[in-house]
Amino acid sequence: MPKDGIGAPTKRREDLRFLTGNGRYTDDINLKGQLYAWFIRSEVAHGRLNAVNTAAAEAMPGVVRIFTGEDFAAIGGLPCGWQVTDRFGAPMQEPKHPVLAHGKVRHVGDPIAVVVAESLAEARDAAEAVEIDITELPPVLDMKAALAPDAPKVHDDLTSNLCYDWGFVEENKPAVDAAFASAAHVVSLELVNNRLIANPMEPRVAVGDYNAWDDQSTLYTTSQNPHVIRLLMGAFVLGIPEHKLRVVAPDVGGGFGTKIFHYAEEAFVTWASRQLKRPVKWTSTRMEAFVSDAHGRDHVTKIELALDADHNFTALRTDTYANMGAYLSTFAPSVPTWLHGTLMAGNYKTPLIYVNVKAVFTNTVPVDAYRGAGRPEATFQLERLVDKAARELGVCPIELRRKNFIKPDQFPYQTPVAVVYDTGNYHATLDKLLEISDHAGFEARVLESKARGKLRGFGIAHYIEACGIAPSNLVGQLGARAGLYESATVRVNATGSISVFTGSHSHGQGHETSFAQVVADMIGIPATQVDIVHGDTANTPMGMGTYGSRSLAVGGSAIVRATEKIVNKAKKIAAHLLEAAEADIELKDGKFSVAGTDKSVDWAGVTLAAYVPHNYPLENLEPGLEETAFYDPSNFTYPSGGYGCEVEVDPETGEVTILAFAAADDFGNIVNPLIVEGQVHGGIGQGIGQALLEHAVYDDQGQLLSGSLMDYAMPRALHLPFFKVDHSSCTPCTHNPLGVKGCGEAGAIGSPPAVVNAVIDALHRGGYSQIKHIDMPLSPARVWAAMQKN
């Protein structure tokens, strides 16, 4: 087998072009005759849009045209890709999401008009001359207040600000309530999953290009799933047939979920280029991104746990308010429901669970999936509550978890929240975590910190994640308006090199390396002979893109299936060349051999014969060597793990310092350990950001106070220790051909509760035993204030 095949810690091949400045990002694309777009956005959170006066601006130098909501009145709104049915059987309220505001503005940053000019400077100058008449209306910002009968409505045509009231599993509710009534112990906690802003390194960019001679539109965009953008924008917004619409996502500098969705700017530049017969380009500023990119999280929850006299978990129930913002973003309704409620069992054998979620419209930026999408929210609720339960019961948090874990011999395990975990060993990941974090030496380190006047604590969290959302027929029943399969075309060239065309898009995951390793390993050739092509709907098969840690489990499985077809056909060709029965042909290390003989032909000899069929059974076998496969998984994959965080708290200032962080994950089989480690490191960094620093804060008028990097605190190197990462506790997935589970979001799921649990542990050890919880982010001010109230 090649040394760079499956299991090899190969360095990412794509990094060479990124590090040398040779990446090609959307903002690098500049087309002949290109125009520039500048969006004029609402400066108020809620208001009646009376008039937009563009006369003065239209007369300014370089201005080609100014578009307003009136120009888009007859065009479809941005579609929502998931419909949720509430617990009473009614569909969610689904308001129109216009490309440009029409009639009302509903959040600061809502696009009102767009200036298109010959240069960016001219477009920006003209934007300042556009006069906008808005009658301000009272904004609704607090989710509970938004549901009051007399609350102002974000959308006048809806009956209220409630999008849906979802219950899961509804038939469990009476039994859950009965279990709480008879419980020996009941523990409850109210908490907030703070609103986050993704801030990928590359802001969003969109370039629309129209060729009148063939009526073809092309959109270049920073997207995680170009095929889905083409489907949504073409069919539901602009009415462009898919064969007349091409979407290209070149190198993309990070996404974290925020580049999954279809945005107004993409539809605008595509449509405007058709109107003006010239390319139109828009590049987001960093501050613009704060009020135009979808935000993440923003849940308020009350969670309760019932236990019997032996400390076994008997029932769990939650009530959550989930902020949708002003509009429904592409996958927003699914995040606090099917991506959250189905994970409330966690790693535990709790027999009864009921989850209620009220999704609410407010005058804020729309909220959608952000790294982990629903699973971090569920894990944070559950793992904070388990820690609180241990303290109230006077038992060890580690041992309370161990006692209630699903046991290895109980898999496959049917949870009370619909999903079936196929494999896992939570005891093994816990043991590995305690080993790599040197938990045995923790008490000695506590004394060392105490000698320096600091409070040291250790926090643990266990998580389980559902990745590779599937299968399509199931998610269709749950409200998904798209399939969730993945695709691949494997094209073998005459000289033996291979091009793999995949529907999975890479924006930092290392697909060009790991996907090549999979194909190279299956055939037995160097990975350098395999090229990975993605991001262009014109040359890749229809795919669902990259999110939800699905790339290898779903996209990689499609590649495996297509490569299997390639190998099967290549064996037929080899059998003909070697004058042997196909059943006797073996492929090993890039060579086809006749079993039990020394007769063989190498990979290049077979591929050349496929394309130069001089001696070829054309009546039985077509020339060429190219195959396509679509893979629709039969179940989610369920990575899991144990995370441990060790902190110091300065009692004089409340400052939290993370001293050590350890992660023991079960990702199933590993294709590239180096990439896996990097993915975990990145996720933990983002989770620490949520736990200690990041918070999107609105004032009572709906102004985003943390609307720039001057005010929104992002983690820096000084906030992050070196992480100890282990993925040796492996239980392979049983239902995909690679046995992989997904690793991209785990770090962001398991780390926030581990950090908060560590801080609470440090405070309790320092005598602050009355502090039960502090909401994220645990800033020095919040921690210090809690200590003063002790």
Side-chain angles (χ1 to χ4, degrees), residues 1-5 10 13 489-501 512-513 515-533 563 566 587 589-592 602-608 625:
M1 285 295 173
K3 294 180 181 179
D4 52 2
T10 306
R13 63 169 68 174
T489 295
V490 177
R491 178 183 299 163
V492 181
N493 301 307
T495 55
S497 62
I498 299 174
S499 296
V500 178
F501 301 86
E512 294 175 35
T513 302
F515 285 177
Q517 288 179 258
V518 170
V519 176
D521 195 87
M522 292 180 68
I523 296 171
I525 59 176
T528 53
Q529 287 188 238
V530 183
D531 189 32
I532 306 299
V533 181
T563 305
I566 290 289
L587 172 61
D589 296 336
K591 181 180 292 187
F592 295 90
D602 64 14
W603 171 252
V606 170
T607 62
L608 184 63
L625 202 50

Side-chain angles (χ1 to χ4, degrees), residues 338-459:
W338 300 112
L339 300 182
H340 161 251
T342 53
L343 269 295
M344 285 311 305
N347 307 86
Y348 309 108
K349 52 183 187 287
T350 312
L352 293 165
I353 297 175
Y354 178 71
V355 179
N356 177 245
V357 177
K358 295 177 178 66
V360 185
F361 292 111
T362 63
N363 292 116
T364 61
V365 173
V367 177
D368 208 322
Y370 172 74
R371 197 170 191 168
R375 289 93 85 198
E377 294 90 322
T379 301
F380 184 72
Q381 296 169 32
L382 187 57
E383 289 302 290
R384 280 294 300 121
L385 185 66
V386 171
D387 234 50
K388 186 171 185 281
R391 297 195 183 281
E392 291 188 9
L393 296 170
V395 300
C396 172
I398 294 172
E399 295 310 314
L400 182 62
R401 287 175 169 85
R402 193 189 299 273
K403 178 181 182 67
N404 285 280
F405 277 163
I406 300 163
K407 297 178 180 178
D409 61 2
Q410 291 179 292
F411 292 95
Y413 184 82
Q414 174 66 64
T415 74
V417 280
V419 296
V420 178
Y421 303 159
D422 60 334
T423 61
N425 189 336
Y426 311 144
H427 295 79
T429 51
L430 174 57
D431 291 341
K432 178 57 69 172
L433 168 66
L434 297 177
E435 174 193 327
I436 65 175
S437 62
D438 185 25
H439 188 256
F442 172 66
E443 294 298 337
R445 296 193 293 274
V446 171
L447 296 176
E448 188 272 330
S449 293
K450 185 177 180 180
R452 293 184 289 104
K454 302 294 177 66
L455 311 179
R456 186 181 287 246
F458 179 80

Side-chain angles (χ1 to χ4, degrees), residues 110-168:
D110 208 357
I112 297 172
V114 188
V115 179
V116 179
E118 297 288 349
S119 71
L120 182 60
E122 289 169 326
R124 176 185 255 172
D125 288 346
E128 295 181 3
V130 175
E131 298 175 358
I132 300 174
D133 180 11
I134 296 177
T135 301
E136 289 195 48
L137 300 171
V140 286
L141 303 164
D142 179 84
M143 286 184 280
K144 294 181 181 179
L147 297 182
D150 58 348
K153 289 196 290 186
V154 178
H155 295 274
D156 298 338
D157 55 330
L158 302 186
T159 60
S160 70
N161 292 318
L162 181 67
C163 179
Y164 54 76
D165 181 353
W166 185 78
F168 184 70

Side-chain angles (χ1 to χ4, degrees), residues 638-663:
Y638 299 98
S640 61
Y643 282 20
C645 179
E646 201 163 312
V647 302
E648 273 188 345
V649 178
D650 186 335
E652 294 186 0
T653 65
E655 182 180 10
V656 176
T657 301
I658 297 180
L659 303 174
F661 200 104

Side-chain angles (χ1 to χ4, degrees), residues 40-92:
I40 302 168
R41 301 181 183 276
S42 176
E43 297 179 357
V44 301
H46 194 197
R48 189 76 54 198
L49 184 56
N50 301 318
V52 181
N53 186 342
T54 63
E58 287 172 345
M60 293 181 69
V63 173
V64 175
R65 186 169 167 183
I66 300 176
F67 296 87
T68 69
E70 292 293 334
D71 295 302
F72 285 83
I75 290 176
L78 303 181
C80 178
W82 202 297
Q83 182 186 67
V84 167
T85 301
D86 73 13
R87 61 194 181 98
F88 308 106
M92 67 189 187

Side-chain angles (χ1 to χ4, degrees), residues 154-197:
V154 178
H155 295 274
D156 298 338
D157 55 330
L158 302 186
T159 60
S160 70
N161 292 318
L162 181 67
C163 179
Y164 54 76
D165 181 353
W166 185 78
F168 184 70
V169 175
E170 192 67 24
E171 54 265 32
N172 285 357
K173 191 175 188 303
V176 169
D177 292 342
F180 272 91
S182 62
H185 307 281
V186 173
V187 183
S188 66
L189 181 62
E190 295 189 36
L191 49 78
V192 173
N193 261 286
N194 41 322
R195 179 183 280 239
L196 304 176
I197 300 172

